[in-house]
Amino acid sequence: DYSLVNFSVGLGSGINNFNINTDILGNTRPLPANTNPDIGAFENVNGFSGPALSNISSSPNGISLVWTSNTAGISSFKIYRGLSPDNMQVIATVNSSNNSYIDNTAATQTMYYYAISSITNQSVESGLSNVLSSVMLNSPLLVEPGNNQDSTTLNPIFKWNKLNYATVYRMQLALNSNFTQTIIDTVLADTSVLVINLNNNTSYYWRVRGQLS
């Protein structure tokens, strides 16, 4: 399939000097009327390039989207979200001066799919961008050592519960509760880690965060 995707810069970028009224499939060219034809043999019904999602990431604050747009005359962008890439609804509209958005209404431990469209100054909507997905992870439940637990060994095993969707875990061990004196900061795929050579009569603080690959 050599059709242009909705966010291709080739949409509406051709010239109309050759009096070719249909594309290779017989569709009217240009489409929509009064636009420039698309580059290539196929005509896209949207007439101009939509935005392209370039990055998606999650944090405790929400799911962040970043996109690019090469089309002039855009007034706003619509943010689409759904539980599948085939069933998405508009959740927000942002001004064209924005190229990022944070979805702070996303539920944790739920995989969401996102796409973006652009709206021209004439209120014409582009096709949807590429689709990206992400999930906002809960904090893992720390299993052992327990809170305020006195350890019987200087080589304890730290364990936590597995999180759905998490592919790796960041584990930190520190000498203070705000983790400015961190002595271990590691990323691993397992849900436990052996720590050796801790000191006697010393308080330690630990935390774990699940991450996506």
Side-chain angles (χ1 to χ4, degrees):
D1 186 355
Y2 293 94
S3 301
L4 297 178
V5 293
N6 291 333
F7 49 94
S8 170
V9 295
L11 297 187
S13 297
I15 57 176
N16 205 14
N17 295 344
F18 300 105
N19 197 30
I20 300 175
N21 299 320
T22 59
D23 70 0
I24 196 170
L25 297 178
N27 298 315
T28 300
R29 169 171 278 186
L31 188 67
N34 301 317
T35 65
N36 289 326
D38 301 336
I39 293 176
F42 299 88
E43 193 73 9
N44 187 294
V45 297
N46 295 293
F48 64 97
S49 174
L53 271 175
S54 56
N55 187 62
I56 189 168
S57 60
S58 65
S59 73
N61 297 323
I63 296 177
S64 299
L65 310 174
V66 179
W67 61 88
T68 58
S69 177
N70 299 311
T71 302
I74 299 300
S75 64
S76 58
F77 298 101
K78 286 186 178 182
I79 317 297
Y80 286 78
R81 183 186 76 185
L83 298 178
S84 76
D86 301 319
N87 185 19
M88 295 185 290
Q89 294 79 40
V90 177
I91 61 168
T93 301
V94 298
N95 190 277
S96 61
S97 61
N98 295 283
N99 70 338
S100 63
Y101 176 78
I102 298 178
D103 179 12
N104 55 18
T105 66
T108 58
Q109 295 301 130
T110 303
M111 182 65 71
Y112 289 106
Y113 297 83
Y114 293 87
I116 312 291
S117 70
S118 52
I119 309 297
T120 68
N121 294 328
Q122 290 75 38
S123 299
V124 179
E125 184 173 3
S126 74
L128 291 181
S129 71
N130 53 317
V131 177
L132 295 180
S133 61
S134 189
V135 57
M136 194 164 63
L137 298 173
N138 284 329
S139 297
L141 178 65
L142 305 182
V143 177
E144 60 176 292
N147 193 32
N148 295 320
Q149 176 181 329
D150 292 329
S151 178
T152 59
T153 175
L154 299 180
N155 304 306
I157 297 176
F158 291 79
K159 298 180 180 180
W160 55 92
N161 278 358
K162 179 180 175 62
L163 278 180
N164 287 338
Y165 301 114
T167 55
V168 294
Y169 300 89
R170 182 180 182 185
M171 185 272 190
Q172 294 178 311
L173 184 67
L175 296 174
N176 58 352
S177 59
N178 58 6
F179 288 83
T180 59
Q181 300 180 52
T182 302
I183 60 173
I184 293 178
D185 190 343
T186 185
V187 175
L188 61 164
D190 205 353
T191 56
S192 65
V193 61
L194 171 66
V195 177
I196 62 174
N197 298 328
L198 295 183
N199 296 322
N200 273 317
N201 303 314
T202 304
S203 294
Y204 294 94
Y205 301 83
W206 70 295
R207 63 186 179 183
V208 178
R209 183 176 65 192
Q211 296 180 347
L212 305 174
S213 59

